[in-house]
Amino acid sequence: MSQVTAPHDGAAVLDADEIEQISRAAWYYYNDGLTQNQIADMLGVSRIKVSRLLEKGRQSGLIELRINSPHQGSMALQEELIAAFGLADARVVPAAPEGTAGAPRIGRAAASLLMQHLVPNDLLAIGWGDATSTTLRYMAPVFPQSNISLVSLTGGVSAYIGTTGLYGPQGFAHLIPTPLRVSSPELADMLRLEPYVRHVLDMALTAKLAMIGVGSVARSATLVRYGYCTATEIELFTRRGAVGDILGYFYDGDGQILDLDVHRHVVAVTPQDMRQIPSVVAAAAGPEKVEAILGLLRGRLANILVTDEPTARDLLRRI
């Protein structure tokens, strides 16, 4: 809702005629919904003059804007996150009502953000995890229509991407045909040198936008559920300082990648190489993900965040 208020000290520089013109322009524009061209005709001035009147009214305090929306708090949190962590962008969804799953809400928000950034013929690099899978499920119909291609950042993608309807004869998904983690460093090295695997890894680094999940170090972590790590390993990594993982690489509270043997078994783009991608979107929420998200943001392993309101508040409290 918009309102015209009596001028405060900041409006003292306006004379009576200007105040009247600004008030009329604001009333017609915000309350009556007229266009600036229509207002210009009514006031007998140019459209540019109307635009300047409205801007002067906002700057002086004569015009105040108030947004009555359940998203108001979320949008304020977005700006706080961007400022606090030096992000390029953020999306914060309101807390899920009791009994409502949060994952679909995060997925929808991430899909909406991605579609605002992607244009036809773009290439989207995708990582590992439930958040990525959920996001892609909402975006599946868009890819062939907009000729947007996908390229995986890790092996193991086919295990979950098949449920989204993206993996098939369409030909717009370029996936690494290996597990995420293999039995030995030697095998991992050999697979990375295979021409097709190498080509997909190199292609991923040409994307302007990447979408990744944020893995926690809980026993219920996605890596454990898919059999790429055991609960015992996760506990060991935690004792060595791990707070989360991206693309199968574990990092500490400052976002520094740990020196763990498991990393030598992973077939994936490295976090260091991923810095070549201009925009990296991380999607995650929930109390079990707060430490992992915080480490990721401190280490600048992603520069765009999609999360929910309670998680955003927790992150800002722990700065």
Side-chain angles (χ1 to χ4, degrees), residues 254-309:
D254 292 320
Q256 299 301 306
I257 304 301
L258 296 169
D259 183 14
L260 300 174
D261 180 66
V262 66
H263 297 161
R264 289 176 273 278
H265 295 247
V266 171
V267 182
V269 169
T270 67
Q272 181 60 38
D273 284 345
M274 194 169 62
R275 295 183 188 277
Q276 298 178 42
I277 301 174
S279 299
V280 178
V281 180
E288 74 283 357
K289 292 289 184 81
V290 171
E291 292 297 333
I293 300 170
L294 194 58
L296 175 123
L297 297 180
R298 286 171 175 164
R300 299 188 180 275
L301 298 171
N303 58 0
I304 300 176
L305 177 67
V306 180
T307 191
D308 65 13
E309 198 166 337

Side-chain angles (χ1 to χ4, degrees), residues 25 28-29 33-51 54:
Y28 293 143
Y29 188 70
L34 301 185
T35 67
Q36 292 186 14
N37 283 329
Q38 290 172 319
I39 297 168
D41 290 340
M42 293 180 69
L43 298 182
V45 298
S46 68
R47 188 196 66 77
I48 296 298
K49 175 67 172 177
V50 172
S51 178
L54 294 172

Side-chain angles (χ1 to χ4, degrees), residues 122-169:
D122 263 351
L123 177 67
L124 172 63
I126 54 172
W128 165 273
D130 289 340
T132 302
S133 180
T134 303
T135 300
L136 295 179
R137 191 173 299 117
Y138 287 108
M139 298 177 70
V142 176
F143 294 118
Q145 295 171 10
S146 301
N147 199 31
I148 293 171
S149 297
L150 301 175
V151 59
S152 63
L153 291 160
T154 75
V157 177
S158 60
Y160 68 88
I161 202 170
T163 63
T164 68
L166 294 174
Y167 189 55

